[in-house]
Every structure is written in C-alpha cells, then in structure tokens.
Amino acid sequence: MKERYFLLITGLLVSILAVIWMVPIYALVTTSLKTQEEVALQKYLDLPRNPQFSNFGKAFNALKIGLRNSLVISLSATFLCIFVGSLAGYALTGFNFRFATPLFFLIVVVTFLPYHVILIPITQFLKTLGLLNSYAGLILIYVVLNAPMATLITGTFFMKIPPELEEAAILDGCKPFRYYLRILVPVSLPGLISATILVFIQIYNEFLLGIALTRGPDVKPVMPFLAELKGTQIAQWHIQMAGAAITSVIPVLVFIFLGRYFISGLMAGYGKG
Amino acid sequence: MRYYKFQGFAFLIPILVIIGIFYAMIIWDVFAAFTHWQGLQPTWRFAGLYNFLRLFQMSRFWVNLRNNLLWLLLFIAPTFLTGFVLAYLITNLGRGEAILRQIFLFPMALSFIITGVLWAWMYDPSSGVINSVLKAFGFNTSKLGWIALPKTAIYCMIVAAFWQYLGFALVIYLGAIKGIPYEMVEAAKVDGASHWTVAFRIIFPNLGHATLICTTMLAITTVKVFDLVWVMTRGGPGVSTEILPYLMYRLAFDSRDLGMGAATSIVILLFSAAMVIPYSLWALNKWVRT
Amino acid sequence: MRKFVNLGITLLFGVLFLGLVGIALAQEKENEFIIFHYWTAGGEKEAIDALFELYQKRNPGVKIVENPVAGGGGETMLAVLMSNLAAGMPPDSFQDHQGNQQKDYIDAGYLEPVDDIWAEANFEARINPMWVKTLKFGGHVYSVPINAHRTNWLWYNKKIFDELGIKPPETYDELLEACKKIKEAKPDISPLALGTREKVWSTYLYDMVLLTTGGPDFYEQANTGKIDFRNDPTFRKAMERYAALIPYIYPWHATKSWDEAGALLKTGEAAMYWMGDWVLGYYLSIGMQPKVDFSATAIPKDIWMGHADTFPLPKGAPHPNNARDWIRMCTTPEAQKAFNLIKGSVTIVNDVPPDVYPDPYRQRSAHDLRTLRAVCDGFHGGMITPAFGSELMDILTRFLVDQDVDAAIQAIAEAAERTNLAEACSWFWEQ
C-alpha cells in the first residue's frame, strides 16, 4: 500500500516537472507562429492570434542548405569521434599500460580549453592542409576538438566492466578488436550512447567554427544559418524561432534513434525489470 | 591481453595524433600569452609576464573568477543530484521512461544561442513567462528583475543551464542504474529498506563512474557556457555575469588584445587542471577501481 | 551490431568522398568576388542584394561569393576576419565602420589605399567633411562608405505627446523636462526606453550627454581621450546629466535587446526612445504609423551624429580588380541610392536629392547631412577605440544600476589610461 502511494506521488511529481520543463518550449513554439507585430508586443505567455505557418516555410528555405551540410558533417564527425574515442578508451583501460593514467589526464585537461582563443592556429592548420571550406576540413576539426571528450566518457564507462569478462574472452582466444566489437561495445551501449548524444550535440550546435572555417553556403552548417535568421539591424525573432524548431528536429531524431539501443546490454540490471 | 599489447597501442594512435595537434595549438596559445600581441597583426615580441600581471590587476578578472566558482558550486551538484534522483524515480515507475527521457533531453537539442534568448524571455520582468505566471497567482512582481539585476542575474543563468543539462545527467544515470544487479536491490528491499536508503546507500555509491562522468562533463560545461552568457546578457549588467571564457573572447577579439586573451585561456587551463586532476584521482580511487 | 558497423564504414567512405569533393570546392575559383558582411535577413539583406545586382550587371562574368557572418552586430565577424587575415586569406572586401574601428586593420598592414578611386570619383568633395576626417589616416583613405546612419534621433510616442501637450525636445533640458512631465502624468510608464542586453546602446546615451553638454568640439575631444576625465568640469557635468536621466529610464533595460526596447513604445510601457534610424524600418514592420503613432526629433537639432558602413580594400585580396570595381561602384550615386532606399539609412554622397526618400525622417537626415556640422558616434563610428569601448560599456551598464557618478568617472579615467586612448586616437588630430 505504501509502495503504491509512493508510486502515485512519484508519478505526479515527475509529470509536473516534465510540464515545467516544456514551458520554455511553449514560448518557442508560440513565438514561431506569431507575426512580427505580435512578437513586438512581448507578451510571451499569449497564444498567436493567427498562426503564421508560413514562418516555417521561410525559415526552412533559408536553412535547407545548412541542414544538409550539418547532417553530413555532424553525423560523420560524431561517428569518427566515438569510434576513435572508444578505441582509445578501451586501450587506456584494458591493457594496463603504465602511461595510461598520465595520458588520460592529458586528455582530460585538453577538454577544458575554450577553443575560441585558438581560432587563429586552427584556421592556419586547415589552410596548410588545403581543407578550408570543405566537409573534410570541418569534420577533421570537430573530431580533433571532441574526440578527447569521447575518450574520457567511454574510458570511464569501460573501467566499470568487470575484468572477468575480458579474461573469459582471452581464454576463448579472442583478439582485441574482436573483443571490442563483439563484447565491449554491446555491453557498454548505454555509456556509448550517452557519449554519442553529448558529442553530437556539441558538434551540431557549434557556431563559431562553422562560420570561421567556411566561405559561402556550400559547406556551412545549420547553426550559422540559424543565427542569421534574426538579422542584425532588424529583428525577425518569429522566423528564427521557427528555424530553431526546425533545426531541433535532427537532434531529436538522433535521440529517438539512439534511445532504441539504450535498453540493450548484456548485464541484467535493476532497471530492466 | 598482454600478448595483444601491440594491437592495444595501435588503438591509441588516432587519439595520440589528435592530442598532438591539440597540444601544438595549446603551445601556440602559451607563446601568445607571453607576447606583446595587441592589435590585429600577429606580434611575437616577448613580453614576459606583462599580460598576466595586467590581467590580475583588473578587478574585473577577480569578478570573473568568482563567477566561475559560483558556477562550479551551484551548477554541478544540483544538476547531477537531481539527475540521479529523477533517474531513480523514473526507473521505479517502470513506465514512460522513453517519453520522459525525450522530454528532459529535448533542451539539449537546442543551441545555447536559442536557449539564451528563450530564457531572456522567460525572465523578462514585465511580461515574461515567469513573472506573468507569478502575477496570475497574485504575487507582486514589480521588484523581481531577475537578469536585470546584478545580484540575481548569475543565478538566473545557472538555472537556464540547469534546464538544458539535466537531461544529460538523467540519461547517464538511467543507463548506469541499469547496470546495478537486481539482486542487490531486492535484498535490501526484503530487509525493509526505504526508498531513500536504497537510492542513496545502495545504488548511488555503486554509480561512481556515472557520477564521475557527470561531474566532469558539467565542469567542462561551465567553461563552454560562453554562448549562453553571450546571448543572454553579454556578461552584464556591468560584468556581473561574465565568466572567464567570455572574458577571454572579449579581450582577444573585442579589445583586440590577443596577448591578454591567451593569458586568460592559460589561467583557465591551469585552474581547470588544478581542479580536475586531484578530484579525478580521488574519485577514481574511491569509486571505480574495485 | 553488424548493421551499425556497416553504417559506420559507409559513412567513412562517404566522408572521404565528400572530403575530396570539398577540396575541389575549396580551390579558389578564378573570377569571384568574396565579401564578408552581417546584413543577414529581411530588409538589410534586400539592400545588399540590390548592390549585388548592380555589381553583377557591371561585371556579368564574376561569381559573387557572399559570406554573411551573423552574431552580435559584428563581434563574430571580427573573430572570423582576424583569423582569415592572420592566415593570409583576406576576402575581397568586408563590411567595416570608420575611425578607430578601421585603424586596427590599417595598423596591422591589412588594408590598401584607395586614394585613386576617391580622386576619380571626386569623392571628397561630395561628402560631409566629417567623413573625410574619420576615414583618412596619415593622408590616405582605405575604404569607401556606402551609407550614413543617423543616430541622434529621439523617437517618441506621438499620442502621448499630443495628449500631454509636450513639444518634441531638441535639447537636453527639453528632454529632461519631457521626462519629468511624462513621469508625473503617467507614473506607470517609463519616459525613456533603453535596451542593454547588448551593452553597446549604453554608449549612445553617453555620446548624447557629451554632445549636448560640451558641444561638438568637446565631444570629439572627450571621445578621443584628449580631456582629463577625472578633473574636467564639463565631463563631470555630462555624467551628472546622464545620472539625472536614469530615474526616468526603463528599469529593466538589461533584459531587452534594442528592438524589444523600441517596441516598448508600441506596448505602451515607454514614451521615448533614443536610437538610430534603423529603428524606423522596425517600427514600420510592426505596424506603427509615422506621424500617427510615432515621430522623431533630433537632439541637438543643429548637429548630425551617426556612422557609416564602409567597404575597405584588403591587401592581397584574391581578386583585386573585382574588389576595386566594387569599391568604385559604391562611390556612384546610383549604387548609393539603390542600397540606401531599401536599407533605411541615407546616402553618404550629397548629390542625391533628399526627396528620393519616402519618409520625412530620412529626408531631414539627408538634408541635415549636407548642411550641418557632423560628428561620428563613439563606438560604431570609431571615435573611441574598440578596446576602450569594450570597457566603457561595462562601466556604463554598471553606472545605470548604481548611479554613482564618481565611481563611473574614476573607472572611465582608468580605462582610458589602461587602453592608451589618447595615444591611440592621436591620428584623428594629426589631419
């Protein structure tokens, strides 16, 4: 009885929290459907009088090249980051290298640097490689900037894997890469997915490098386009909010897609019922 | 696996290359911090500690440092603790995890340049969402300036970042809880343990790796909230919400003083390293090495 | 699992392929014109597009590569430009302002003189002498201005003014009077709107009090650091006048951007707004009618204050002939007219008659620009250095909260010393 009472209160609490969490999104959606005049009134709780779905059309038109570019860049860079990062994380935790711990810390420290200050060497680096204003260049930079974080997260998750699993694999004559692919990854899927989510978000939502390393719209990611929607000496908040709704679709789809793999994993744990 | 150490080392090569590139740029940055690079032209005249001295003499720097510490203290702990509690409650409920996960994770799908504006609208004192709701409940909101007042502005921003990142902490803990053996919890429940005990005496201590990741990621975020500060207040009113990464950007680009900007970034690195390394060592020893 | 790996390998190859394509794209095409700017949406975009159209007609074979750089009214563009220039990859032109904003590029050796283009077009004779003063460095000019935004406009809610019988203010004292009258009659609304989410607008009021307290010569001296901030009595008086306005300013300005603050005239929460002429376009787009809902007056009425957007010529531009032709085109009345009619500013050349503008405010602005004494505004106009401006903004937004005149004066003096303001602005006086 007490348990049911607890579940009821929990359910209520969590639902209320979820509703509160959506309130800023409410402001986003209502603004995206207003006219410029309505937005100027700055009554953010009010509903639009005459929903302007054309805002979404205008925003999409401006964003579509960026969406294509971001899909290519973010998905590739995220995949490479997680791949490189988890391999490195496995190498650091599963092989008892003596230099593992100091290397691990070198990696951690690097993730704390705000990259804006090294914008100039980054530009020079890509220019030397001839990769400015190209998909490969942007992907390369995003991988360089985010793989350390991927290593950090996956490595920490891998540390939790019981060594018996590994010993059993060795006894079976399993080579490292196979172990990685067939056992380690499936078992730590929730951890890998969390890392993927975070890295994808960092790359997709990144704004400064997307502008600085591109010229013209050919390979420019979507965030710079989104920033442009508002205008400098004008104020088209309604179009920009519609654009924000559109650009958030891709990460949400990624979250949903990854969410399917969240449950799997070989450890029969508490949350699996 | 010792026999396969060579293969293991091969796995490290990509990240070693990446770290190499990164540290090469950091070395560039260190050099720049010791030069007289003021203005747009790269200037490599050695300046000793000139930039650092000027930086430490700015009272603004110390305000920034204080703000960074506030972020560390007030953003990290509430976020991961709430994330854990929420993960525990949702796991307990047994249903609705998928949809709840998406709801709390959604804020992360938005860029800071949007959440900054959204929360500026939430906090708008005349007709923003928060004050409108409070007014509807009969509260007097005439003194509630939120981000308009230097005293409260920074806390408002921390709340906005909390809103955005709770989902991440939630997801990490949801995943980690799934790794807790069912029997452990069952045994405790049979012994009559309350939810509080189960959550904090049994489950939480076994989630050391998740907590380590959460706290480290959130600490890294306090360095990355640059976009949020930029869009929401530009560090204002005055410099009350400015944080070191933003100061770095302003010095490097707005004031065209890359020497000082680089010096600030070195301070950020040292500060972070001093914080993170002892903490991780302690956490690793305590929680992970079983 | 296998599916995942397959997906990954496909992506990898896809990436490599696209990377090669990207490298092909990245090669400099032969006949291009690369230009950076931040007119990214709506009317401002249409204005620059009009210029592009004109340019395309003159140069049909050239591919225009525009690089809009959004964010903070130029803040992001500076970072992008700096890294491009430092890496040895200048664009063919970019959007810049004048004075100290441009001087940094010149000092770094990134710009090339365009004295010949000015001479060809007889440009110097066709513009207000103030522009020459702020665009000539050591006897050379490096850019061509395309427009003139007037910033000493006071926009006001006409209905409130008519109701209370207030005459549109043309001096500081009249402004303060109007504030008091409005506050008395309507205590619920703020007489003066202001938006400091982007802190730069706090310097606009600063410019106004300097100008109205000491006159244009004092204004120029103060902004170029030629006065003793701590002890100058006129400066103190100006700051006290600023402080006197604060009780009448919208209290929550730190939460509003410039457009949200301007819109307060529409929501009825404020009565007056001190802002540049671009807010006219905004008011029109939100359904306010000129001379019915709002109108504008200039303070002081005998000075034209504002700034211009300019296009400089970078040194080592990849397509110098295309760049020079763009700059040449911008000196023509045709180009100036095409751009400014849409943009909401006025032409900087005096040979376009004021009656081409559909609204009375720009007609007056154009007329005033060719007849009155003019000054450049502080931050955007490059009277102060960006470094000093950055600190000034912090000081003023703090001042708006604590109203401490002594602390502000002290802080401004220190900032001027720390950033070597007087020395950095010495070029202005060595004309």
Side-chain angles (χ1 to χ4, degrees):
Chain A
M1 192 51 223
K2 202 165 154 215
E3 182 66 20
R4 270 215 289 185
Y5 197 52
F6 180 80
L7 280 177
L8 197 66
I9 301 276
T10 311
L12 215 62
L13 213 72
V14 171
S15 311
I16 294 179
L17 203 65
V19 168
I20 294 179
W21 237 245
M22 291 277 98
V23 169
I25 310 297
Y26 166 80
L28 195 162
V29 172
T30 53
T31 307
S32 69
L33 290 170
K34 289 182 177 172
T35 61
Q36 178 142 38
E37 196 173 330
E38 277 181 291
V39 178
L41 290 176
Q42 295 163 63
K43 296 236 180 294
Y44 300 110
L45 215 49
D46 287 3
L47 288 168
R49 228 166 295 152
N50 208 354
Q52 304 282 312
F53 290 104
S54 60
N55 290 347
F56 282 89
K58 287 189 204 142
F60 184 72
N61 249 335
L63 291 175
K64 44 180 197 223
I65 304 180
L67 285 168
R68 177 200 76 190
N69 294 335
S70 269
L71 268 174
V72 171
I73 296 172
S74 311
L75 289 178
S76 323
T78 307
F79 177 76
L80 283 171
C81 269
I82 298 297
F83 185 56
V84 166
S86 55
L87 270 182
Y90 170 44
L92 285 175
T93 55
F95 289 85
N96 281 326
F97 289 121
R98 243 175 315 169
F99 57 80
T101 312
L103 183 56
F104 197 65
F105 283 126
L106 275 182
I107 295 176
V108 169
V109 164
V110 136
T111 57
F112 277 92
L113 181 74
Y115 63 85
H116 314 87
V117 74
I118 47 174
L119 186 60
I120 295 183
I122 288 178
T123 316
Q124 285 174 326
F125 176 61
L126 279 192
K127 175 173 180 245
T128 335
L129 290 177
L131 286 179
L132 277 168
N133 204 32
S134 68
Y135 283 139
L138 272 173
I139 293 174
L140 175 64
I141 277 300
Y142 283 138
V143 170
V144 168
L145 289 178
N146 290 289
M149 183 184 295
T151 312
L152 176 63
I153 302 183
T154 55
T156 314
F157 270 104
F158 290 163
M159 282 188 219
K160 188 69 178 164
I161 302 293
E164 300 89 50
L165 203 64
E166 231 183 301
E167 323 239 299
I170 303 180
L171 280 166
D172 273 351
C174 186
K175 289 170 80 173
F177 190 71
R178 211 179 137 88
Y179 167 71
Y180 164 79
L181 207 56
R182 289 304 166 103
I183 302 180
L184 192 59
V185 167
V187 163
S188 0
L189 217 43
L192 280 185
I193 290 187
S194 313
T196 310
I197 289 177
L198 194 62
V199 170
F200 180 78
I201 288 299
Q202 305 269 33
I203 297 178
Y204 185 76
N205 282 335
E206 204 281 330
F207 160 73
L208 185 63
L209 290 174
I211 295 190
L213 301 175
T214 61
R215 272 187 185 185
D218 295 328
V219 294
K220 196 152 73 167
V222 78
M223 281 305 151
F225 281 105
L226 183 60
E228 286 167 29
L229 284 182
K230 182 224 152 211
T232 306
Q233 284 171 325
I234 59 169
Q236 298 189 320
W237 297 112
H238 51 316
I239 311 261
Q240 192 178 48
M241 286 302 143
I246 295 177
T247 57
S248 68
V249 165
I250 293 185
V252 169
L253 287 176
V254 169
F255 294 164
I256 296 182
F257 171 74
L258 290 176
R260 297 229 192 104
Y261 295 94
F262 209 63
I263 311 292
S264 52
L266 286 177
M267 315 295 273
Y270 174 46
K272 309 262 291 298
Chain B
M1 282 298 174
R2 260 153 261 124
Y3 306 105
Y4 298 115
K5 260 204 163 141
F6 181 68
Q7 271 201 24
F9 188 75
F11 292 166
L12 279 176
I13 293 181
I15 198 75
L16 284 175
V17 170
I18 287 175
I19 296 290
I21 297 176
F22 223 128
Y23 273 100
M25 299 200 197
I26 293 186
I27 291 177
W28 180 96
D29 190 29
V30 172
F31 276 155
F34 287 100
T35 66
H36 268 298
W37 183 334
Q38 277 91 39
L40 296 182
Q41 168 122 69
T43 320
W44 297 100
R45 241 177 44 229
F46 185 65
L49 290 175
Y50 176 63
N51 290 318
F52 290 94
L53 288 173
R54 275 199 309 161
L55 188 63
F56 296 143
Q57 275 167 7
M58 292 168 62
S59 63
R60 184 174 164 199
F61 170 77
W62 300 101
V63 174
N64 271 265
L65 199 61
R66 182 208 77 168
N67 287 346
N68 265 92
L69 284 171
L70 270 178
W71 269 90
L72 281 175
L73 289 173
L74 297 176
F75 173 60
I76 300 183
T79 310
F80 83 78
L81 281 175
T82 317
F84 169 68
V85 168
L86 203 57
Y88 177 73
L89 291 178
I90 293 182
T91 312
N92 240 12
L93 275 177
R95 41 172 46 191
E97 177 186 320
I99 182 116
L100 282 170
R101 201 171 54 219
Q102 296 305 338
I103 289 183
F104 286 102
L105 208 54
F106 182 75
M108 290 201 72
L110 297 173
S111 164
F112 268 142
I113 58 180
I114 297 291
T115 40
V117 174
L118 278 182
W119 278 89
W121 291 346
M122 293 280 290
Y123 284 121
D124 184 300
S126 24
S127 49
V129 176
I130 296 183
N131 274 5
S132 298
V133 168
L134 288 177
K135 264 188 232 170
F137 279 107
F139 287 97
N140 178 8
T141 61
S142 56
K143 289 264 159 62
L144 292 176
W146 305 117
I147 58 175
L149 301 173
K151 286 217 160 79
T152 51
I154 191 167
Y155 305 108
C156 296
M157 288 179 79
I158 295 181
V159 167
F162 173 76
W163 176 79
Q164 187 141 9
Y165 275 86
L166 181 68
F168 177 70
L170 175 67
V171 164
I172 294 263
Y173 278 116
L174 275 177
I177 286 186
K178 292 186 195 325
I180 301 280
Y182 200 58
E183 308 78 52
M184 209 190 261
V185 182
E186 270 302 289
K189 287 212 165 143
V190 159
D191 278 348
S194 69
H195 277 289
W196 179 269
T197 315
V198 169
F200 286 101
R201 292 274 158 84
I202 304 198
I203 299 189
F204 191 67
N206 279 300
L207 296 180
H209 59 300
T211 308
L212 179 62
I213 291 182
C214 263
T215 46
T216 317
M217 284 307 118
L218 293 174
I220 294 177
T221 308
T222 64
V223 171
K224 289 198 196 289
V225 287
F226 168 87
D227 290 328
L228 185 67
V229 172
W230 188 53
V231 174
M232 221 161 133
T233 59
R234 295 276 202 287
V239 289
S240 53
T241 54
E242 206 173 64
I243 48 174
L244 288 171
Y246 191 60
L247 177 65
M248 176 196 83
Y249 186 88
R250 288 191 63 184
L251 287 174
F253 298 116
D254 287 353
S255 299
R256 290 124 201 262
D257 192 337
L258 199 80
M260 284 246 272
T264 315
S265 69
I266 301 299
V267 169
I268 295 177
L269 265 185
L270 292 174
F271 179 63
S272 313
M275 245 190 354
V276 164
I277 296 185
Y279 169 71
S280 309
L281 273 174
W282 172 77
L284 277 175
N285 270 323
K286 192 167 190 278
W287 282 331
V288 179
R289 300 252 170 81
T290 42
Chain C
M1 205 56 239
R2 182 144 284 263
K3 235 181 16 170
F4 213 42
V5 174
N6 277 337
L7 179 65
I9 298 188
T10 323
L11 270 176
L12 219 77
F13 279 115
V15 163
L16 286 168
F17 171 67
L18 285 166
L20 291 168
V21 171
I23 295 183
L25 280 176
Q27 307 306 348
E28 290 283 315
K29 299 231 179 56
E30 264 322 298
N31 212 2
E32 286 182 327
F33 173 64
I34 305 175
I35 179 164
F36 288 16
H37 65 84
Y38 45 90
W39 291 307
T40 58
E44 58 190 20
K45 185 173 186 336
E46 285 166 30
I48 187 82
D49 284 342
L51 271 185
F52 287 148
E53 239 183 82
L54 260 180
Y55 183 76
Q56 198 79 93
K57 271 196 225 142
R58 283 161 72 110
N59 301 281
V62 176
K63 174 161 184 255
I64 301 180
V65 178
E66 63 163 334
N67 202 20
V69 183
E75 279 174 15
T76 320
M77 183 154 101
L78 178 68
V80 172
L81 257 183
M82 207 167 144
S83 53
N84 271 278
L85 292 170
M89 294 198 343
D92 288 311
S93 194
F94 58 92
Q95 178 187 350
D96 192 15
H97 291 302
Q98 63 253 85
N100 284 303
Q101 296 263 341
Q102 196 173 98
K103 181 140 192 306
D104 285 330
Y105 297 108
I106 298 172
D107 286 344
Y110 286 142
L111 297 185
E112 244 185 67
V114 292
D115 303 312
D116 53 335
I117 299 185
W118 274 51
E120 237 179 76
N122 195 18
F123 203 62
E124 207 169 312
R126 294 158 61 203
I127 58 179
N128 189 304
M130 177 268 283
W131 301 118
V132 182
K133 254 188 123 182
T134 53
L135 283 171
K136 226 184 217 183
F137 303 92
H140 295 288
V141 288
Y142 297 85
S143 63
V144 162
I146 184 70
N147 64 0
H149 276 296
R150 184 174 196 173
T151 52
N152 64 328
W153 281 123
L154 181 77
W155 306 87
Y156 57 89
N157 184 319
K158 186 135 198 318
K159 298 211 171 103
I160 295 185
F161 268 49
D162 287 341
E163 188 190 318
L164 299 180
I166 304 181
K167 164 186 163 297
E170 288 177 324
T171 66
Y172 171 84
D173 292 317
E174 287 173 14
L175 175 63
L176 194 58
E177 262 312 297
C179 287
K180 290 192 180 139
K181 243 185 168 174
I182 296 174
K183 193 74 185 181
E184 252 178 62
K186 293 179 182 286
D188 286 337
I189 74 174
S190 308
L192 195 58
L194 179 65
T196 58
R197 203 159 89 209
E198 301 140 1
K199 301 193 225 170
V200 68
W201 311 116
S202 59
T203 66
Y204 274 47
L205 283 176
Y206 176 76
D207 286 340
M208 189 255 287
V209 291
L210 283 180
L211 190 55
T212 54
T213 312
D217 292 318
F218 173 76
Y219 168 83
E220 284 179 352
Q221 286 169 352
N223 267 340
T224 54
K226 262 190 132 191
I227 64 174
D228 178 3
F229 289 104
R230 279 194 187 87
N231 301 312
D232 191 305
T234 323
F235 185 71
R236 172 162 283 270
K237 183 158 176 231
M239 290 303 286
E240 284 167 1
R241 282 179 152 192
Y242 199 154
L245 280 178
I246 296 180
Y248 303 104
I249 295 181
Y250 179 70
W252 310 126
H253 48 84
T255 63
K256 300 282 186 193
S257 58
W258 68 267
D259 51 285
E260 289 165 8
L264 290 176
L265 259 63
K266 183 179 169 82
T267 69
E269 287 167 81
M272 301 186 276
Y273 191 40
W274 177 259
M275 184 45 68
D277 54 17
W278 52 85
V279 81
L280 172 64
Y282 179 65
Y283 281 150
L284 293 174
S285 73
I286 61 173
M288 288 178 79
Q289 286 194 312
K291 301 241 169 190
V292 173
D293 298 312
F294 72 93
S295 197
T297 169
I299 300 179
K301 68 167 188 269
D302 52 347
I303 304 274
W304 191 103
M305 175 161 77
H307 62 262
D309 292 298
T310 67
F311 291 117
L313 178 64
K315 195 178 262 181
H319 314 94
N321 290 327
N322 293 342
R324 291 173 68 86
D325 194 57
W326 170 268
I327 295 179
R328 200 172 289 127
M329 178 187 85
C330 291
T331 64
T332 65
E334 196 195 349
Q336 296 254 338
K337 208 169 104 174
F339 181 77
N340 284 290
L341 273 179
I342 308 179
K343 181 75 175 59
S345 41
V346 302
T347 67
I348 200 161
V349 292
N350 295 328
D351 41 29
V352 173
D355 52 17
V356 308
Y357 304 106
D359 57 274
Y361 313 109
R362 282 194 285 167
Q363 286 169 8
R364 177 168 169 195
S365 180
H367 173 82
D368 286 352
L369 183 57
R370 33 156 92 166
T371 52
L372 296 178
R373 164 93 190 258
V375 293
C376 243
D377 53 45
F379 186 77
H380 288 134
M383 280 264 89
I384 57 183
T385 60
F388 176 71
S390 175
E391 301 211 18
L392 181 65
M393 286 191 238
D394 293 339
I395 298 169
L396 289 176
T397 46
R398 173 99 232 159
F399 176 60
L400 280 164
V401 170
D402 63 19
Q403 302 183 39
D404 187 339
V405 174
D406 293 312
I409 292 182
Q410 180 71 3
I412 291 177
E414 279 170 14
E417 279 157 23
R418 195 166 34 231
T419 58
N420 285 326
L421 182 61
E423 200 188 305
C425 296
S426 54
W427 61 269
F428 182 74
W429 299 105
E430 287 159 10
Q431 300 278 348

